[in-house]
Amino acid sequence: MEKVLVSSCLLGSPVRYDGQSQNLLHPGLESLKQQKRLVSFCPEVAGGLPIPRPPAEIKEDRVLTKDAEDVTAEFIAGAEQALKICQKHKIRFALLKESSPSCGRNTIYDGSHTGHKVIGMGLTARLLQSNNIEVFSEEQLPALFAALAEN
Ligand code: SF4
């Protein structure tokens, strides 16, 4: 059965920049969890960033904290590890947290650190999608379940 890579914070792990989680409660997700089909992963922690950590946003081709610290290398390392995990487990679907500079599927913050979002993808979402792994956000659960049902 198909496995799904899932942002760790959506599964209740307190790995976000602020040390919190973003636990996503849904019976369909719980069912996948009980079937051991979810692979939990946080690219920013895997890339070597601490918890908590300063929030970061994508600005042009770099990822910068509010204090302009360049954390692009850590974000890229996390994205590459996410891809490796998917390849190792033959994962073709991912459920990632919307608007994160790593995991955002459809929107990201605009790089100004003023709370404004723009259309775009986080680094991990972008790398997975470009390697034929279909990425869904927590706002697209019905589409994820439909894709899993077809496979
Ligand atoms: Fe969640 Fe992704 Fe941010 Fe990690 S990098 S805390 S998994 S949104």
Side-chain angles (χ1 to χ4, degrees):
M1 286 207 281
E2 296 277 351
K3 290 192 172 184
V4 181
L5 187 83
V6 186
S7 294
S8 298
C9 57
L10 291 178
L11 294 175
S13 296
V15 291
R16 279 165 49 100
Y17 73 93
D18 57 3
Q20 303 292 310
S21 69
Q22 193 86 38
N23 202 10
L24 181 63
L25 299 173
H26 188 283
L29 203 57
E30 188 55 36
S31 170
L32 292 174
K33 190 176 179 181
Q34 284 174 7
Q35 294 168 38
K36 301 194 186 316
R37 293 170 64 186
L38 302 183
V39 176
S40 174
F41 189 79
C42 174
E44 290 175 24
V45 172
L49 293 170
I51 308 166
R53 54 190 172 276
E57 297 188 5
I58 298 172
K59 191 171 176 86
E60 295 163 5
D61 60 346
R62 314 303 300 167
V63 187
L64 304 174
T65 69
K66 199 167 185 176
D67 295 331
E69 184 190 353
D70 191 327
V71 286
T72 311
E74 289 88 343
F75 274 66
I76 290 173
E80 289 173 345
Q81 287 187 54
L83 178 59
K84 272 190 195 159
I85 294 262
C86 288
Q87 290 169 336
K88 180 179 168 196
H89 293 279
K90 297 189 173 25
I91 288 174
R92 297 190 296 146
F93 301 98
L95 171 62
L96 302 185
K97 176 77 187 79
E98 192 60 275
S99 304
S100 148
S102 289
C103 296
R105 168 63 182 85
N106 302 293
T107 59
I108 51 173
Y109 289 94
D110 70 358
S112 65
H113 289 273
T114 56
H116 293 120
K117 292 182 188 177
V118 291
I119 291 171
M121 296 180 91
L123 266 63
T124 295
R126 204 186 298 166
L127 184 64
L128 297 187
Q129 189 81 14
S130 67
N131 280 274
N132 299 319
I133 295 156
E134 214 173 329
V135 178
F136 300 85
S137 82
E138 74 277 18
E139 296 165 4
Q140 298 173 298
L141 279 178
L144 169 64
F145 296 136
L148 288 171
E150 286 171 12
N151 285 275

